[in-house]
Amino acid sequence: MSNRSNVTKQKLLDAATDIIMNHGVHQLTLDEVAKTAGVSKGGLLYHYPSKEALMTAMVERLQQEQNELYASLQQEGYGPVEAFVRLFDETKLHPERAAIQIDVEKMIAFLTLFEVDQEYANRWKHDLDTFFAQFQQTADPVETMIIRYALEGMMMSEHFGVGVPPTELKQAIIARLIERAHDIDCES
Amino acid sequence: MSNRSNVTKQKLLDAATDIIMNHGVHQLTLDEVAKTAGVSKGGLLYHYPSKEALMTAMVERLQQEQNELYASLQQEGYGPVEAFVRLFDETKLHPERAAIQIDVEKMIAFLTLFEVDQEYANRWKHDLDTFFAQFQQTADPVETMIIRYALEGMMMSEHFGVGVPPTELKQAIIARLIERAHDIDCES
DNA sequence: TCAAACAAACCGTCTGGTCGGTACAGAAAG
DNA sequence: CTTTCTGTACCGACCAGACGGTTTGTTTGA
């Protein structure tokens, strides 16, 4: 794959991600993606022969980004649970790492993709299932799951814009979750 | 409005709710709703002149059901936070009340409707915003919000079917959330 | 008998996908 | 060096089906 081709592909994935985050799945049409990326629909379908191929590529890129960040957080000494919490707020806690440019809100937005296609959704589901399985092996599985659910619920409410609390409260919530995650990791 | 008309309307709302919960928003088409309800599309559009009208009616019915259940729970002596938690599990905690037939998983499924239409979504959002505003006035707003987010995240993961834990763990999670909600209500 | 409650064919738009063609960079041939 | 050829990247008109909604006609119950 040439460099030029790869650049265009990334542009298309960026455009699709942008649309799904800011305008929702229902706006994720091939025409819209092509237009946003500054490419013709023909050009889009040259690189991704179907809408599903485009969505699959989107999910795979996100997965890869997340796995890399999660691994790097664990290498910094954070336990599995705390690393997971920090995964959700990394770009806000460490703005200097904005280069990594991962926002887990993407994941929530991407979850809505599950509504559209079942085929590839199952693959992602399987990965998430195995990932969350380890959360049931910690010192306090109940608390661990509460932390996980709280983060997901928070991101969801953020994505849909319902009942969003002021920033200070959000930061306090994250802080407390990190605290508890740290305790759980220590006990485990 | 005659009785016959109302029966059909409820059948249509039931069908739409069923589809959105079991097959997702993208399958919520007028043809599908009509077919599921055993009515022709013409019949559907006789009662609900547009898809948005149908969705609005769906949301309004759900809101009403929830408000009634929430009020009844508070009348039984539960504080606002604990009542909210029990709202999420009422049908499972009290199967004998299955007549009420409210499952808050519906709400999560309905959230995906936000992706489709912004118009009526805002109305619902406003109601949710004012509802959740009181959660920031409790003795421990941080913990209260964690409880709320955890419940929403749990229902969401249930709806999308990602990383769903075994039943016992789920019950333990709910139990602990009820415990904490109770404490918060007592302190408030 | 009359209006409410449907049924069914039909229409316009949107959308995923196809297809023939173009621009261009480099290799091969002369 | 010029010409020809080839494959990659891309464009844009077009198509078929799906979907929301309209219209017209039919049944049903008071």
Side-chain angles (χ1 to χ4, degrees), chain A residues 20-70:
Chain A
I20 214 176
M21 285 191 64
N22 300 324
H23 305 284
V25 248
H26 71 297
Q27 290 285 12
L28 188 74
T29 66
L30 295 183
D31 289 275
E32 204 60 32
V33 172
K35 186 180 154 197
T36 305
V39 175
S40 73
K41 193 156 82 168
L44 196 172
L45 286 157
Y46 171 77
H47 292 287
Y48 298 107
S50 70
K51 187 179 183 182
E52 190 183 329
L54 175 72
M55 295 193 292
T56 303
M58 257 199 295
V59 171
E60 277 171 357
R61 191 176 73 164
L62 177 67
Q63 267 187 289
Q64 196 185 340
E65 286 173 343
Q66 275 188 267
N67 290 338
E68 284 169 9
L69 181 54
Y70 187 70

Side-chain angles (χ1 to χ4, degrees), chain A residues 24-26 111 114-115 125 129 136 140 143 145 148-150 153 156-157 159-160 162-163 165-166 173 176 180, chain B residues 24-26 114-115 125 129 136 140 143 145 148-150 153 156-157 159-160 162-163 165-166 173 176 180:
Chain A
V25 248
H26 71 297
L111 273 180
F114 283 4
E115 301 276 345
K125 276 187 197 175
D129 282 346
Q136 297 171 31
D140 189 347
E143 190 62 36
M145 289 302 277
R148 174 210 150 180
Y149 282 146
M156 186 186 69
S157 102
H159 176 67
F160 290 115
V162 283
I173 293 170
R176 192 175 294 188
R180 283 191 195 155
Chain B
V25 250
H26 71 299
F114 282 5
E115 300 276 345
K125 275 187 197 175
D129 282 346
Q136 297 171 29
D140 189 347
E143 189 62 37
M145 288 301 276
R148 174 210 150 181
Y149 283 146
M156 185 185 68
S157 104
H159 175 67
F160 290 115
V162 283
I173 293 170
R176 192 174 294 187
R180 286 194 193 151

Side-chain angles (χ1 to χ4, degrees), chain B residues 53-179:
Chain B
L54 174 72
M55 293 192 293
T56 304
M58 257 199 294
V59 172
E60 277 172 356
R61 191 176 72 164
L62 177 67
Q63 266 186 290
Q64 195 185 340
E65 286 174 342
Q66 275 188 267
N67 289 339
E68 284 170 8
L69 181 54
Y70 187 72
S72 81
L73 283 169
Q74 283 195 299
Q75 277 183 344
E76 287 176 33
Y78 296 120
V81 182
E82 186 177 356
F84 180 72
V85 181
R86 289 184 178 272
L87 196 60
F88 273 76
D89 210 49
E90 189 61 8
T91 52
K92 286 157 194 160
L93 289 173
H94 295 279
E96 77 277 9
R97 294 190 197 163
I100 308 185
Q101 195 48 286
I102 299 181
D103 204 339
V104 182
E105 286 175 31
K106 278 188 201 171
M107 197 178 88
I108 303 300
F110 276 41
L111 273 180
T112 61
L113 278 174
F114 282 5
E115 300 276 345
V116 180
D117 200 300
Q118 209 62 17
E119 183 95 16
Y120 81 101
N122 289 330
R123 202 166 356 125
W124 196 22
K125 275 187 197 175
H126 179 262
D127 284 359
L128 287 174
D129 282 346
T130 56
F131 178 80
F132 287 131
Q134 68 172 329
F135 275 22
Q136 297 171 29
Q137 314 294 330
T138 64
D140 189 347
V142 173
E143 189 62 37
T144 306
M145 288 301 276
I146 289 178
I147 292 173
R148 174 210 150 181
Y149 283 146
L151 285 166
E152 293 180 351
M154 189 170 174
M155 293 305 142
M156 185 185 68
S157 104
E158 205 82 16
H159 175 67
F160 290 115
V162 283
V164 179
T167 317
E168 319 97 57
L169 184 52
K170 269 190 280 186
Q171 287 172 336
I173 293 170
I174 293 276
R176 192 174 294 187
L177 290 175
I178 287 180
E179 203 175 299

Side-chain angles (χ1 to χ4, degrees), chain A:
Chain A
M1 179 157 53
S2 77
N3 187 34
R4 183 180 167 203
S5 171
N6 198 41
V7 167
T8 306
K9 279 186 164 184
Q10 297 303 317
K11 265 201 304 182
L12 288 167
L13 294 184
D14 290 343
T17 303
D18 178 72
I19 290 171
I20 214 176
M21 285 191 64
N22 300 324
H23 305 284
V25 248
H26 71 297
Q27 290 285 12
L28 188 74
T29 66
L30 295 183
D31 289 275
E32 204 60 32
V33 172
K35 186 180 154 197
T36 305
V39 175
S40 73
K41 193 156 82 168
L44 196 172
L45 286 157
Y46 171 77
H47 292 287
Y48 298 107
S50 70
K51 187 179 183 182
E52 190 183 329
L54 175 72
M55 295 193 292
T56 303
M58 257 199 295
V59 171
E60 277 171 357
R61 191 176 73 164
L62 177 67
Q63 267 187 289
Q64 196 185 340
E65 286 173 343
Q66 275 188 267
N67 290 338
E68 284 169 9
L69 181 54
Y70 187 70
S72 81
L73 284 169
Q74 283 196 299
Q75 277 183 343
E76 288 177 31
Y78 296 121
V81 182
E82 186 176 356
F84 180 73
V85 181
R86 289 182 179 272
L87 196 61
F88 272 76
D89 210 49
E90 189 61 7
T91 53
K92 287 158 194 160
L93 288 174
H94 295 277
E96 75 277 8
R97 293 191 197 161
I100 307 185
Q101 195 47 288
I102 297 181
D103 205 339
V104 182
E105 286 175 31
K106 277 189 202 172
M107 196 178 88
I108 303 299
F110 276 41
L111 273 180
T112 60
L113 278 174
F114 283 4
E115 301 276 345
V116 180
D117 199 299
Q118 208 63 16
E119 184 95 16
Y120 82 101
N122 289 328
R123 204 167 353 125
W124 197 21
K125 276 187 197 175
H126 179 261
D127 285 359
L128 288 174
D129 282 346
T130 57
F131 178 80
F132 287 130
Q134 66 173 330
F135 275 22
Q136 297 171 31
Q137 314 293 330
T138 64
D140 189 347
V142 173
E143 190 62 36
T144 306
M145 289 302 277
I146 289 178
I147 292 172
R148 174 210 150 180
Y149 282 146
L151 285 166
E152 293 180 350
M154 189 171 175
M155 292 306 141
M156 186 186 69
S157 102
E158 205 81 14
H159 176 67
F160 290 115
V162 283
V164 179
T167 315
E168 319 96 58
L169 183 51
K170 269 191 280 184
Q171 286 173 337
I173 293 170
I174 293 276
R176 192 175 294 188
L177 291 175
I178 287 181
E179 204 175 300
R180 283 191 195 155
H182 187 74
D183 291 346
I184 292 174
D185 284 331
C186 288
E187 292 170 27
S188 300

